[in-house]
Amino acid sequence: MIIDAHSHVHDPVADHIALLDEAGVDRAVLFMTRPHPERAADLASLRREMAILHDRLHGRDDQADTYRAASAELDAALAAWPDRFIGFGSVPLVLPDERIAAAVERDVVEHGLRGIGELTPPPGQAARIEPVLRAADDQGGLPVVVHGAAPTTADDLRTLAALARRYPRVPLVVSQLGGAYWMDAVELVRETPSMYLELSTASIVFAVRLAISEIPERTMFGSDAPYGDPVLARTTVERVTASGEIRDRVLGATAAALLGLS
């Protein structure tokens, strides 16, 4: 089974399915999203969508109405394509600890979702995910995915590793190969058994090669679609691996085990 471990709801969803089909991807982990860059028809409209993303990544968009709208989009996509998408639920990090625990139980576990993410703590504030990790641990060790590219800092990655060691039952996935700090991410994940590294949007192909070489059992193919492309992301993994067990792990077996699909 080929599993894209990182994607966001597309508008329309059928376009996403077409991308997965073209890439030969069986299933994709699906996160809710507020921005929709795939809707953009020109530079001006893309700037508007990316401004929404910028605000979200810097902690300036936790309004209840936008959260509900994004959650409804995710629910619709999962209902339309239950055999292709694996749903993850997000949690507003601005909530008090007890409300985060209740949200994880209500909006993730009781909602039938497989994990939590993609969380986007503001730069320098990765510690804000600790109540989510505690709730995930209380629920038996739900996987948690955290945004790894800019504006995530090297200090944020170190904070995530420290938190992962505090909650070793919770698989903590750093997305986008840790962004500009990918070497730090590889080292931290390698030394922290409960951490995983998702490989999407790498700007340097040998970063993907080195990550897989250093952590072959805890690296996962992902596209970050619509920001990335499933065909290109899969091709990159296949370019830097030989056919066999390691490639199979990266392209889906590790994610399947993590998600209880194998």
Side-chain angles (χ1 to χ4, degrees), residues 200-211:
S200 65
T201 63
S203 59
I204 305 173
V205 70
F206 64 73
V208 178
R209 179 186 294 115
L210 187 139

Side-chain angles (χ1 to χ4, degrees), residues 56-193:
R56 176 62 183 153
L57 293 177
H58 287 80
R60 295 194 288 269
D61 180 26
D62 272 310
Q63 299 180 38
D65 56 343
T66 57
Y67 180 86
R68 283 193 296 268
S71 181
E73 287 182 344
L74 175 66
D75 287 347
L78 295 174
W81 299 94
D83 296 330
R84 302 301 298 275
F85 293 132
I86 302 160
F88 270 47
S90 190
V91 179
L93 296 178
V94 296
L95 294 176
D97 290 8
E98 65 276 6
R99 290 187 61 192
I100 284 179
V104 168
E105 182 169 4
R106 180 188 65 245
D107 298 337
V108 178
V109 177
E110 294 178 359
H111 212 54
L113 302 179
R114 295 276 187 167
I116 304 167
E118 177 188 19
L119 300 179
T120 55
Q125 299 182 46
R128 286 172 60 173
I129 76 160
E130 183 168 11
V132 180
L133 296 179
R134 187 181 305 118
D137 186 60
D138 290 343
Q139 295 293 340
L142 291 172
V144 175
V145 179
V146 183
H147 182 83
T152 300
T153 68
D155 282 343
D156 286 326
L157 294 175
R158 287 188 281 272
T159 297
L160 293 176
L163 290 172
R165 291 190 288 271
R166 196 173 301 167
Y167 299 92
R169 284 205 309 167
V170 177
L172 179 58
V173 182
V174 175
S175 67
Q176 296 118 351
L177 224 169
Y181 304 104
W182 63 270
M183 287 187 281
D184 301 89
V186 169
E187 290 176 343
L188 290 165
V189 172
R190 184 184 62 198
E191 302 303 322
T192 312

Side-chain angles (χ1 to χ4, degrees), residues 7-19 30-41 49 52 69-70 72-74 76-78 80-81 85 224-227:
S7 69
H8 298 272
V9 176
H10 284 46
D11 180 22
V13 178
D15 286 357
H16 192 181
I17 296 296
L19 289 174
L30 193 65
F31 305 126
M32 67 174 65
T33 184
R34 290 160 176 78
H36 281 282
E38 73 280 7
R39 292 173 178 166
E49 296 296 336
I52 298 170
E73 287 182 344
L74 175 66
L78 295 174
W81 299 94
F85 293 132
D224 199 8
Y227 301 94

